[in-house]
Amino acid sequence: MTSDQYRPRWTGPGEPAVDDAGVYETLMRLDEPVHIVGGPYRLGAAAGGRVTADGPHEIVAAVPPLGPERLGSAAFLAAHGIRQAYMSGAMANGIASADMVVAMARAGFLGSYGAAGLLPEAVEKALIRFRDEIPGLGYACNLIHSPSEDRLERSAVELFLAYGVPCVEASAFLKLTPHLVRYRLAGLRAGGPHGVIAANRVIAKISRTETAELFMRPAPEAIVRQLLADGLITEEQARLAPRVPLADDITVEADSGGHTDRRPLPALLPVIMRQRDAIMQETGYPERIRIGAAGGIGTPDAAAAAFTMGADYIVTGSVNQSCLEAGTSPQVKQMLAQAGIADFEMAPAADMFEMGVELQVLRRGTFFPMRAKQLYELYRTYDGIEEIPAEVRERVEKQIFRRPLESVWEETAEYFRRRDPDQLVRAEGHPKRRAALVFRWYLGMASRWAKTGEADRAVDYQIWCGPAMGSFNAWVRGTYLAAPEHRRVADVARQIMTGAAFHQRLAMLRAAGVAFPAGITTRPSPEDTASFDRAVGVGR
């Protein structure tokens, strides 16, 4: 038997493989082919070069090179100008910060800026950074559906168009809005191999088939006609609109932090993929709509599972919030680093409070979920804060708000005079609407306290997060990534993708009948990957 880089690592009789550093190193050479060779009683691994078997030995399995850049869709990489099919999803209020987006772009990943909930001047400041610091590199900005704050959605789109934002991550859309459609259509022009170029790309984050349908179809004719009549798109763009779907990519969001329907990814992803295939057959789009996976992805195993199911790309969220670049406080990052997989709970969402929409948050170390639910029950029960019984109101003022509710209303009114005066118009003469704004004050401030690290309000922190955070913490326990001060968003991405490629390689070999002991199948840990990178000259 000969091989240019043959390193025999033999097992004892009857064992299928070996938990040996040499075999692990061989399997971790992801850019080289690997052959499993064996004789009557033993198996070994050889990487790279040419392998021939002579004597009693034979090649029992072989896998081609499979580096992390080979995972997912090559079309996704080309469309967004990135090197690996990995995206850090947006976390509102700038938690998915400009620093995070810049770090991801420079490392060859796609980062989405958490523009949702921010005032236009803050968004513009980030867009200037992207223009100056990562010109020509791929990135995205979040556009969240704001049923009660149409003005912010419109302002965000105007900024995205003015600064040439190449991609929008659309989230929490219950229906399509003219602002989102305008962004998509304003980038259409004739040309390219298929006759139409869509320069403004849209990644739609969905968890329901009816929402996916909206984004897989072309822009609604009525909205297109109105945009044309308002002079917001050209006649050519209106003519090209029926030829492309509203979104290039559909992110299937399973059990995640923040807004989530908590559906399992193995149940949801295949349904959306079949839906995509049916619509593609019906419409005859020249380019395939890509499907990504999000929710619950915090380890290499989970990432590998998503790619095995056919995901064109993966999206992480919760795990990035504990990284150095995240726009939240050190206190929150420490709390996240201690979370287990069961330390999360659903609570009312501030942006869709009146509709009863919930989001997933960290429960460990905070009373926020319980207190937010109490406020929603008061909203459902009473038609205004004046109707709340005196003893209940006194308790709420003392324990939750720590101030009189009238004082809260005054501050709320001043806030909306600057941000969105229409909110005050709608509340005038409607006590229940006024109560909703007062209760939303607490939900909004709870996010702010967490972001700024307000020590006196630690028990009220609202931290959007899901079980992936606990899974990630379990994976990195005992490694350098256990401490949040060592977590960098691009390093976390690289670790997850490298590990996913390793697990894909193991899966291919298992399919060929090769078995591995737990010492190999539970790897690589972050320390394993870091040590291997140093050995082959890759910097952390």
Side-chain angles (χ1 to χ4, degrees):
M1 178 184 302
T2 62
S3 170
D4 294 349
Q5 296 182 29
Y6 179 56
R7 297 184 177 189
R9 293 294 186 270
W10 303 116
T11 69
E15 293 179 339
V18 62
D19 186 5
D20 179 277
V23 168
Y24 174 70
E25 286 182 13
T26 299
L27 293 172
M28 274 294 290
R29 294 184 179 275
L30 299 172
D31 291 330
E32 302 174 6
V34 164
H35 300 79
I36 301 297
V37 294
Y41 302 107
R42 300 171 176 176
L43 292 178
R50 177 178 57 87
V51 177
T52 59
D54 52 16
H57 302 98
E58 63 177 347
I59 299 172
V60 297
V63 289
L66 184 64
E69 71 282 352
R70 296 173 183 258
L71 298 175
S73 164
F76 183 81
L77 304 185
H80 298 283
I82 57 177
R83 297 195 294 271
Q84 296 188 29
Y86 181 106
M87 176 179 179
S88 61
M91 292 172 284
N93 293 336
I95 294 173
S97 66
D99 286 342
M100 184 178 293
V101 172
V102 170
M104 291 292 283
R106 288 175 174 169
F109 302 108
L110 183 64
S112 181
Y113 176 61
L118 297 179
L119 292 174
E121 50 266 31
V123 176
E124 184 171 20
K125 184 177 179 181
L127 298 184
I128 292 173
R129 279 196 63 187
F130 303 152
R131 181 197 64 192
D132 295 344
E133 297 181 25
I134 50 173
L137 297 182
Y139 72 93
C141 285
N142 180 226
L143 181 68
I144 195 168
H145 180 39
S146 304
S148 60
E149 293 184 292
D150 178 81
R151 178 183 177 186
L152 284 181
E153 191 177 323
R154 181 181 68 250
S155 298
V157 166
E158 289 173 349
L159 284 171
F160 296 161
L161 293 174
Y163 283 89
V165 171
C167 180
V168 154
E169 183 189 23
S171 60
F173 276 81
L174 304 176
K175 63 179 182 178
L176 299 181
T177 65
H179 313 304
L180 175 61
V181 175
R182 176 192 175 191
Y183 171 82
R184 175 62 164 173
L185 300 190
L188 297 183
R189 68 179 188 273
H194 305 298
V196 57
I197 297 173
N200 292 350
R201 292 181 293 278
V202 173
I203 300 176
K205 189 186 297 182
I206 62 92
S207 57
R208 303 186 182 195
T209 54
E210 59 270 26
T211 311
E213 181 95 7
L214 297 175
F215 286 98
M216 293 179 183
R217 299 286 181 181
E221 292 183 14
I223 296 180
V224 175
R225 287 196 302 268
Q226 188 61 54
L227 290 172
L228 180 61
D230 293 340
L232 297 176
I233 60 172
T234 67
E235 291 187 4
E236 180 185 59
Q237 289 163 347
R239 177 177 57 81
L240 295 173
R243 300 179 58 181
V244 296
L246 192 64
D248 308 275
D249 304 285
I250 304 290
T251 299
V252 177
E253 185 179 26
D255 190 7
S256 66
H259 291 289
T260 178
D261 285 325
R262 305 188 80 179
R263 293 192 172 97
L265 188 64
L268 183 59
L269 184 61
V271 172
I272 302 299
M273 295 178 73
R274 285 194 293 270
Q275 182 184 19
R276 182 271 315 276
D277 293 345
I279 291 177
M280 289 291 299
Q281 285 186 326
E282 174 192 339
T283 60
Y285 292 136
E287 295 188 18
R288 175 174 167 271
I289 300 171
R290 297 173 292 267
I291 305 295
I297 300 177
T299 64
D301 318 61
F307 284 121
T308 299
M309 292 171 63
D312 291 307
Y313 60 97
I314 61 170
V315 182
T316 59
S318 296
V319 298
N320 303 318
Q321 192 173 180
S322 66
C323 292
L324 286 172
E325 298 90 347
T328 192
S329 64
Q331 295 92 324
V332 164
K333 294 172 186 178
Q334 287 289 345
M335 292 171 69
L336 289 169
Q338 297 170 11
I341 60 172
D343 290 333
F344 309 93
E345 189 172 348
M346 300 300 290
D351 56 345
M352 300 182 187
F353 181 80
E354 297 91 325
M355 301 168 64
V357 174
E358 292 188 319
L359 39 67
Q360 190 160 209
V361 297
L362 182 68
R363 178 181 60 194
R364 179 174 178 170
T366 173
F367 293 148
F368 172 78
M370 176 185 68
R371 290 177 171 178
K373 290 177 181 179
Q374 289 177 1
L375 295 181
Y376 184 69
E377 284 303 311
L378 291 176
Y379 171 75
R380 289 184 56 195
T381 305
Y382 302 103
D383 289 330
I385 58 176
E386 295 79 10
E387 292 191 11
I388 300 175
E391 65 276 12
V392 175
R393 177 169 174 168
E394 182 180 356
R395 184 173 66 250
V396 167
E397 290 177 334
K398 181 179 180 180
Q399 295 180 354
I400 300 179
F401 290 92
R402 301 187 187 178
R403 57 196 296 188
L405 293 184
E406 287 301 330
S407 172
V408 174
W409 168 248
E410 291 173 5
E411 183 175 320
T412 301
E414 178 58 30
Y415 171 80
F416 281 114
R417 286 189 191 101
R418 293 181 286 106
R419 178 182 175 116
D420 189 358
D422 290 344
Q423 296 280 350
L424 300 180
V425 174
R426 293 169 56 193
E428 189 174 351
H430 297 279
K432 196 172 186 70
R433 173 66 182 164
R434 181 167 168 256
L437 294 180
V438 169
F439 295 153
R440 282 173 54 187
W441 176 94
Y442 171 75
L443 275 64
M445 292 301 295
S447 297
R448 182 182 300 179
W449 294 325
K451 184 178 179 181
T452 60
E454 186 74 30
D456 188 47
R457 281 289 195 166
V459 295
D460 291 296
Y461 286 176
Q462 178 180 184
I463 305 170
W464 305 310
C465 197
M469 188 75 256
S471 182
F472 177 85
N473 288 335
W475 171 53
V476 303
R477 187 173 297 124
T479 75
Y480 74 95
L481 285 180
E485 58 267 24
H486 296 154
R487 297 180 182 181
R488 293 191 176 275
V489 65
D491 185 32
V492 167
R494 185 182 60 83
Q495 293 278 5
I496 289 176
M497 289 294 285
T498 299
F502 178 81
H503 282 282
Q504 287 276 65
R505 168 165 281 185
L506 292 187
M508 296 170 70
L509 290 172
R510 284 195 195 97
V514 179
F516 298 96
I520 287 179
T521 58
T522 57
R523 299 169 85 169
S525 75
E527 290 291 357
D528 290 331
T529 304
S531 298
F532 185 78
D533 285 348
R534 287 193 293 271
V536 299
V538 178
R540 202 196 290 172

